[in-house]
Amino acid sequence: MRYNRKQYQDFLATEIETQVRGYEQIINTKAVVLKNRGDVFVGMFIKINEQGFAIFKVRQSDKMPRKNSFWTAVYYIDPMSRFRQWGDFSWLELREKYQKDFSDAYCCWLSKSEDDDFCLVGLKNISVEFAQLLTPNTIVAFGPNDPPLLYLKNLLRYTESTCVDPLLDAELHTHMWTPTPIEASEDSNKLLLNHLNASCHLIIQGPPGTGKTYRMAHIVRCLLDEGKSVLVTALTNQALMELAAKEVLEGYIKGGRVSKTSLTIDETRQLPNLKKVNENKCNPIKGELTLASFYVSSGWASVESAFDYVIMDEASQALYPMIAVSFKLGKKVVWIGDQKQLSPIILTNEDIINGNNWNSIVNGFNTLCNSSDYKSFLLKDTFRLTKRGAECTGVFYDNLLNSVSEYQTIPVNISWLKSDGGPVMEYLSLPLGEKSPEIAISVILSKVKSILAVSPKASITVLCKFKDSIRTLQKAFVLGLSVKNLPDNIKIETVDRVQGLTIDYCFFLIPNVSTRYSLQTELFNVATSRARYCTVIVADKLLLKENMNEDVRKYLLKASDNSFVSFAKTVSSSSITLTVKDKIDLSKFERKRPKLVDGKENIYIIDTNIFVDCPDIINRIGKKYRIIIPSTVLEELDKLKIKEGIDKAILSKAAKNISVAFTQKYSCMEDANVSLLPNGFDRKNPDCKILSVALKHSEENPILLTSDNMLATRAKGLGITAITLKEFLRR
């Protein structure tokens, strides 16, 4: 496969347009409205504390920012700093006309104020330049976080260049990627450096807890000692600061040999001797380390500014054009990441990505690993997981993970926890379609309380795929623990916000709705590999009957009861050796086949693919049942007439049968009602439009006839019966 430059440009342009469109829906709203609904808040600056957090006073009557949420702080020219003056201004108009400066901001804590009418909000990630504007009683507005448009535009500009690029213009040959496993040792560090000296490119895969940052710091130290100029770039500033904080680099920071772009006040407090890169301009210096996010480094792609060495951290979260940019940033390049963890976050609809075959552009690190012959290594020793935990997570890594953790047993005596750690399954009867099931939240809260009762300082994280679930969980925990704010040792967050996190105990809620998202391999791996001691997976008792990746299924089987199934430690690339020690009763995971309900209409709603596979489907259903054809289906059938490879005779037959059914009035066409769809569903997506037709008849036992697994999964998540053509014909 080979992409041309226009395909890269089309993807980036589409993503920019999608980001802008979503952002515009918010910023074109009246600022007062945004404030009233909690999308904007206003605070009075108090001080910057010892940790470098900017503290603001906010009215209790206002809606508070959510802990661990991202914002854009805006300093307005008086009098527009006060919301009473905002009038009919949109958030965009205020920023365009009255903005003096702005900065990223991150809400890290909330607490009571001495004044009962106010509370205090602690924010970090405030830029040094912005902090210099702040004086006591300064009013600052906080609004929706700015999208990463500069990053995307930098990549778009790069793809528009005419020079031949070794990655963008290469043929992508997919092959079996087989990195060499290495242990955690000084000899391994020397091995990596020797290979880097002998070649220009090196790939390092780091599974959870294998010390990627530690290895990177040692490589950087050796390169600086050799007088090389080094750039480390990553998606997040947090990753860069974790590297800078490593002990082996302490002397270099004190010696003024480490600098960082977009330096914030809390970063300067954490590492006072860390230098600031003036105006975020590229300036390679021999024997010095530069730290820069993708947001900044993506704009440095020029031959004149090349570093001696470039190390790309969080490479699994880099788009393929960003991987290509790294070639222009340095003479030698190291990519460090894990394609088995979260891929880049994009907003472009999944169907558009698949329809244009852009997946290889999105998952840049995967594409690099699977299409290049660069030397690669896998770090196989995990310092985080217990032996049992490593064995379970190891299914994602060809069973190569080896635990070298000092935490091999759980330090508390709780009956429902396994003494040797690792995952625990909590199977419940969860209602279909509910993202925040009360029974699951109650169970999680109860188990967290039991841990805190014997280990009050234990770090605990509760994770879920869905934001709505997290909001409900946070509220339930505040009420259930009788606290005003969550204690610092408890974190409740979406999975995509915790990659790199290490804690003691983790709870992963999988609601009985759109389970394919929670069971997506990379997300599932991240969610279940954060904890030193134990991960509790709370899910529906029929979870194992859901469609899922086989590695995820293997993990769940091992977690369900480790005495039932064992996997060989040595596996080939094509198969896995399985030993059944005892029979597994899978009947409890079996879903009942959909049945017709007496006394109800049993309305059939037919998807486009059914007519293609069986043009006389209406006749097979017969006149006994009402048949509804969504208008979207008719549109799709019409478009298929001009598509290559489609039998036009089949389409003609289907159209005639539909026409007869309409004439005899045992079938009808209905338009979509997208207002019935839950938040998060793409209202322009044809499948979602079909779902909305089914939702119109939710009280009449609608049966969606489709062979589209994605559509069927969405339907089941909404409590709608969905059957395939094969299932129907077997009746």
Side-chain angles (χ1 to χ4, degrees):
M1 180 184 68
R2 185 191 296 271
Y3 288 111
N4 57 49
R5 292 299 185 93
K6 188 175 185 307
Q7 288 170 295
Y8 289 111
Q9 292 158 19
D10 287 347
F11 160 69
L12 290 166
T14 301
E15 179 63 14
I16 289 171
E17 182 183 348
T18 306
Q19 295 258 8
V20 169
R21 187 166 58 246
Y23 188 58
E24 283 180 341
Q25 290 178 356
I26 299 174
I27 63 174
N28 285 321
T29 303
K30 289 182 179 179
V32 173
V33 173
L34 293 176
K35 182 180 178 298
N36 290 337
R37 72 188 194 195
D39 293 331
V40 167
F41 72 96
V42 179
M44 177 185 289
F45 176 70
I46 304 299
K47 65 176 183 179
I48 294 173
N49 68 9
E50 293 179 356
Q51 290 78 38
F53 300 159
I55 301 173
F56 291 83
K57 185 187 287 187
V58 180
R59 289 189 179 278
Q60 283 275 22
S61 55
D62 291 349
K63 291 187 177 179
M64 294 293 108
R66 183 169 63 89
K67 187 179 178 181
N68 302 321
S69 56
F70 292 87
W71 301 82
T72 294
V74 183
Y75 188 109
Y76 284 123
I77 302 170
D78 282 333
M80 289 301 175
S81 58
R82 289 157 175 83
F83 71 90
R84 294 183 182 84
Q85 307 297 321
W86 291 355
D88 291 331
F89 287 110
S90 68
W91 182 251
L92 176 62
E93 289 172 327
L94 281 177
R95 293 194 62 182
E96 286 182 336
K97 295 179 180 180
Y98 301 104
Q99 175 179 285
K100 185 175 181 179
D101 200 358
F102 70 99
S103 171
D104 288 336
Y106 175 80
C107 180
C108 48
W109 54 261
L110 297 92
S111 71
K112 293 178 63 178
S113 169
E114 294 178 356
D115 190 334
D116 291 338
D117 293 332
F118 293 87
C119 71
L120 299 179
V121 177
L123 295 120
K124 65 178 184 178
N125 289 0
I126 301 287
S127 71
V128 174
E129 293 83 359
F130 191 88
Q132 290 171 349
L133 294 173
L134 301 177
T135 57
N137 301 327
T138 298
I139 304 295
V140 175
F142 299 85
N145 196 224
D146 289 347
L149 297 182
L150 179 60
Y151 169 50
L152 297 169
K153 289 179 179 178
N154 285 338
L155 296 183
L156 179 59
R157 191 181 309 111
Y158 182 73
T159 62
E160 292 171 343
S161 64
T162 56
C163 60
V164 177
D165 189 278
L167 289 187
L168 296 183
D169 301 317
E171 185 82 25
L172 301 179
H173 301 286
T174 302
H175 61 80
M176 180 67 71
W177 186 58
T178 53
T180 302
I182 59 173
E183 299 176 345
S185 67
E186 289 299 321
D187 288 341
S188 296
N189 291 336
K190 293 176 183 177
L191 177 67
L192 294 174
L193 283 166
N194 288 337
H195 277 284
L196 186 56
N197 290 331
S199 65
C200 294
H201 313 103
L202 183 63
I203 300 173
I204 301 174
Q205 182 184 15
T210 52
K212 296 185 292 293
T213 307
Y214 175 84
R215 262 336 148 89
M216 191 164 40
H218 277 267
I219 291 173
V220 168
R221 180 194 64 180
C222 293
L223 296 176
L224 294 179
D225 287 343
E226 293 175 8
K228 306 297 184 182
S229 60
V230 182
L231 167 67
V232 174
T233 185
L235 178 67
T236 63
N237 284 296
Q238 179 182 343
L240 298 174
M241 289 300 295
E242 286 177 2
L243 171 68
K246 291 297 179 184
E247 186 177 350
V248 296
L249 296 179
E250 183 179 355
Y252 302 90
I253 292 178
K254 289 182 178 179
R257 295 169 62 183
V258 182
S259 56
K260 183 181 177 298
T261 64
S262 306
L263 201 59
T264 66
I265 51 171
D266 50 297
E267 291 170 352
T268 60
R269 297 295 177 94
Q270 180 185 349
L271 297 173
N273 294 306
L274 188 62
K275 293 196 305 181
K276 176 176 172 286
V277 176
N278 291 325
E279 299 180 349
N280 290 341
K281 291 182 178 179
C282 183
N283 183 28
I285 301 174
K286 296 291 184 181
E288 292 195 11
L289 168 65
T290 300
L291 304 171
S293 68
F294 292 170
Y295 192 89
V296 177
S297 66
S298 57
W300 290 353
S302 64
V303 177
E304 304 81 54
S305 63
F307 289 78
D308 292 324
Y309 287 83
V310 172
I311 299 175
M312 178 179 282
D313 191 15
E314 300 182 322
S316 53
Q317 296 183 316
L319 301 170
Y320 196 60
M322 185 65 211
I323 298 287
V325 165
S326 61
F327 273 79
K328 294 295 184 182
L329 294 175
K331 302 179 181 73
K332 295 194 175 188
V333 185
V334 181
W335 297 277
I336 301 178
D338 182 12
Q339 67 270 57
K340 298 295 186 179
Q341 297 190 55
L342 290 172
S343 55
I345 297 174
I346 59 169
L347 298 187
T348 301
N349 183 273
E350 184 179 355
D351 293 333
I352 296 175
I353 297 295
N354 294 332
N356 289 281
N357 198 24
W358 288 339
N359 288 288
S360 295
I361 300 176
V362 175
N363 299 302
F365 190 55
N366 287 28
T367 304
L368 175 74
C369 294
N370 295 325
S371 63
S372 71
D373 57 359
Y374 302 142
K375 187 62 182 178
S376 58
F377 296 90
L378 178 142
L379 310 178
K380 71 182 191 72
D381 288 344
T382 175
F383 295 86
R384 177 188 302 159
L385 306 174
T386 66
K387 182 180 178 182
R388 180 171 177 272
E391 287 176 353
C392 290
T393 298
V395 302
F396 302 110
Y397 302 95
D398 291 334
N399 290 339
L400 292 171
L401 273 192
N402 174 56
S403 174
V404 293
S405 172
E406 61 182 295
Y407 311 103
Q408 292 297 335
T409 57
I410 294 183
V412 296
N413 185 18
I414 298 177
S415 60
W416 50 269
L417 290 175
K418 293 183 179 293
S419 61
D420 55 352
V424 172
M425 298 301 305
E426 183 70 34
Y427 287 121
L428 305 171
S429 293
L430 299 183
L432 270 171
E434 284 192 25
K435 289 183 178 178
S436 308
E438 290 184 10
I439 182 173
I441 294 174
S442 177
V443 167
I444 292 171
L445 181 59
S446 174
K447 290 184 179 298
V448 168
K449 284 182 176 180
S450 68
I451 294 174
L452 294 175
V454 294
S455 183
K457 295 183 179 180
S459 57
I460 302 172
T461 288
V462 183
L463 303 177
C464 188
K465 162 63 183 175
F466 307 106
K467 291 180 181 178
D468 292 345
S469 308
I470 294 303
R471 293 191 186 97
T472 306
L473 278 161
Q474 289 180 339
K475 183 178 180 180
F477 265 65
V478 168
L479 295 173
L481 297 176
S482 301
V483 294
K484 205 150 194 182
N485 295 289
L486 287 176
D488 291 338
N489 61 323
I490 296 178
K491 189 180 186 74
I492 303 175
E493 206 38 275
T494 55
V495 181
D496 56 9
R497 297 277 289 277
V498 298
Q499 185 160 306
L501 177 70
T502 297
I503 38 81
D504 294 331
Y505 303 91
C506 178
F507 291 79
F508 180 34
L509 171 61
I510 304 178
N512 201 5
V513 56
S514 301
T515 53
R516 81 173 189 95
Y517 294 112
S518 299
L519 297 175
Q520 193 269 334
T521 309
E522 289 78 16
L523 181 139
F524 183 90
N525 183 27
V526 169
T528 56
S529 61
R530 301 302 94 200
R532 295 186 184 94
Y533 300 125
C534 177
T535 297
V536 182
I537 301 172
V538 181
D540 184 68
K541 63 183 181 180
L542 303 179
L543 181 68
L544 284 171
K545 288 298 291 178
E546 299 286 348
N547 292 324
M548 66 185 75
N549 175 274
E550 282 307 303
D551 286 339
V552 175
R553 188 176 301 279
K554 292 167 189 172
Y555 183 104
L556 290 170
L557 284 170
K558 286 182 76 68
S560 297
D561 191 337
N562 205 41
S563 66
F564 282 169
V565 180
S566 67
F567 295 92
K569 288 190 176 182
T570 302
V571 290
S572 69
S573 59
S574 59
S575 64
I576 183 168
T577 303
L578 176 68
T579 302
V580 179
K581 294 183 176 180
D582 201 352
K583 291 183 178 180
I584 301 176
D585 181 12
L586 292 179
S587 63
K588 64 180 179 179
F589 303 116
E590 196 170 329
R591 291 190 185 276
K592 294 181 179 179
R593 291 179 61 183
K595 295 181 179 179
L596 301 178
V597 180
D598 294 333
K600 290 193 176 183
E601 268 194 288
N602 296 302
I603 297 171
Y604 277 91
I605 300 165
I606 307 178
D607 191 13
T608 312
N609 51 62
I610 300 297
F611 286 110
V612 174
D613 296 333
C614 184
D616 63 343
I617 184 63
I618 290 180
N619 297 329
R620 290 176 179 260
I621 295 173
K623 298 181 181 181
K624 182 180 179 180
Y625 306 108
R626 187 181 171 198
I627 300 169
I628 295 176
I629 315 295
S631 58
T632 303
V633 169
L634 296 179
E635 292 176 14
E636 290 184 326
L637 287 171
D638 190 49
K639 291 177 182 177
L640 287 175
K641 293 189 299 185
I642 60 175
K643 188 172 181 178
E644 295 183 4
I646 297 293
D647 191 336
K648 306 303 185 294
I650 290 177
L651 295 178
S652 178
K653 185 177 181 180
K656 288 179 181 179
N657 289 332
I658 293 172
S659 179
V660 171
F662 284 175
T663 302
Q664 297 183 7
K665 298 187 177 180
Y666 63 92
S667 179
C668 66
M669 181 191 76
E670 285 195 13
D671 291 330
N673 183 359
V674 294
S675 65
L676 299 175
L677 295 168
N679 292 334
F681 278 58
D682 183 356
R683 284 158 169 72
K684 295 181 180 180
N685 184 297
D687 285 355
C688 292
K689 290 180 180 180
I690 294 171
L691 277 177
S692 77
V693 173
L695 287 171
K696 290 164 67 175
H697 301 275
S698 59
E699 301 299 319
E700 304 172 77
N701 192 42
I703 299 174
L704 177 60
L705 194 52
T706 180
S707 295
D708 184 333
N709 289 332
M710 178 62 68
L711 179 56
T713 301
R714 286 171 168 166
K716 292 174 183 176
L718 295 173
I720 298 168
T721 299
I723 61 176
T724 64
L725 180 61
K726 288 183 179 179
E727 288 176 318
F728 173 80
L729 296 176
R730 286 201 301 264
R731 290 174 177 274

